[in-house]
């Protein structure tokens, strides 16, 4: 398995990316060869200092970097030798099996849609976030930002994608699905929620349990919670603020630690033809290590193939 990693993406790259590679390789990972995409001159001294097993990685030189504030489409077009552009070229042409970046999120999304593209039958790919539960494990919330306006059919596909992710990546054998709403009763909510409910209820592949409310998000009530990206992103940013507030107040609590984005690493783009993992711009070593581990798990679980199979059914 060959996993490509954008070494120049993120606020603390390439140093923290190299540190993350070191942590991953020292964890005893086997059958993974890392393809490190970045400026060789910048990477060489860091890799030498890290004293990594050179049989476990190779370096692909990139002479350009897409900044975090650059226009995604324009940057990809004008910077074909950027680490993100080269990563998608390698992924599209089968040189790597998965691609990871903590760089410009917009460029990652545009690159995903225009190179490896959505799986046939997927109306809108989506991204999710892990939701720490006040108990054990994590739930899944999607969409969390790339689909601000949705149709009922989109939310149904998000539910299917989330269920497959929950089952094959989070190891929930029969994940429950809830629709985020302002009340538990059927018929509650806005027009989108009212139209989506019966579609989820009748879907043969979903273990739908009904509506869930905001107070249920951090509980075990549903393994997968679906909503449109506008609401999902508000919830995501609120969850991030909870962790930031806990850090500022020096609250040392096991549950609060679960909100740390380093624990998640990154999130896959669900519904596209190959594994793409998008990380937080402030990712550090642990996050990079966890992104690599996630990419490995997504590839080994054949999640993309299982999504294709679900569409046939």
């Amino acid at each position: 398995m060959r996993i490509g990693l954008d070494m120049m993406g993120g606020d603390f790259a390439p140093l923290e990316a190299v540190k993350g590679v070191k942590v991953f390789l020292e964890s005893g990972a086997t059958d993974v060869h890392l393809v490190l995409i970045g400026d060789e001159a910048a990477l060489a001294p860091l890799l030498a200092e890290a004293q990594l097993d050179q049989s476990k990685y190779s370096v692909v030189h990139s002479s350009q970097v897409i900044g975090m504030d650059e226009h995604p489409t324009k940057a990809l077009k004008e910077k074909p030798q950027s680490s993100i552009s080269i990563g998608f070229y390698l992924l599209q042409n089968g040189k790597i099996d998965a691609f990871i970046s903590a760089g410009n999120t917009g460029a990652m999304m545009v690159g995903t849609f225009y190179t490896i593209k959505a799986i046939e039958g997927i109306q809108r790919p989506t991204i999710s976030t892990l939701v720490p539960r006040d108990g054990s494990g994590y739930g899944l919330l999607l969409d969390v930002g790339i689909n601000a306006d949705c149709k009922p059919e989109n939310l149904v596909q998000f539910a299917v994608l989330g269920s497959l992710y929950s089952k094959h990546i989070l190891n929930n054998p029969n994940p429950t699905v809830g629709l985020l709403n302002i009340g538990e009763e059927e018929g509650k909510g806005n027009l989108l929620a009212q139209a989506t409910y019966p579609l989820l209820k009748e879907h043969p592949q979903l273990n739908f349990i009904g509506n869930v409310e905001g107070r249920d998000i951090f509980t075990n009530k549903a393994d997968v919670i679906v909503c449109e990206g506008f609401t999902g992103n508000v919830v995501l940013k609120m969850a991030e603020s909870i962790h930031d507030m806990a850090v500022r107040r020096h609250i040392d609590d096991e549950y609060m630690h679960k909100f740390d984005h380093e624990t998640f690493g990154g999130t896959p783009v669900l519904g596209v033809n190959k594994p793409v993992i998008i990380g937080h711009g402030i990712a550090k070593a642990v996050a990079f290590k966890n992104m690599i581990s996630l990419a490995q798990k997504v590839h080994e679980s054949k999640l993309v193939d299982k999504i294709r199979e679900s569409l046939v059914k």
Side-chain angles (χ1 to χ4, degrees), residues 72 212 254 268 271:
V212 296
E254 183 178 356

Side-chain angles (χ1 to χ4, degrees), residues 112-168:
T112 300
F113 294 155
Y114 284 94
T115 56
I116 62 171
K117 298 180 171 55
I119 295 170
E120 185 176 357
I122 293 293
Q123 299 168 351
R124 293 188 184 182
T126 181
I127 56 174
S128 62
T129 188
L130 294 177
V131 179
R133 292 168 158 177
D134 186 13
S136 62
Y138 293 88
L140 195 70
L141 176 71
L142 70 168
D143 182 277
V144 291
I146 66 172
N147 296 289
D149 295 298
C150 294
K151 297 178 180 179
E153 294 80 6
N154 302 143
L155 296 192
V156 173
Q157 282 200 339
F158 298 165
V160 173
L161 293 170
S163 293
L164 291 169
Y165 184 88
S166 182
K167 179 177 181 179
H168 298 291

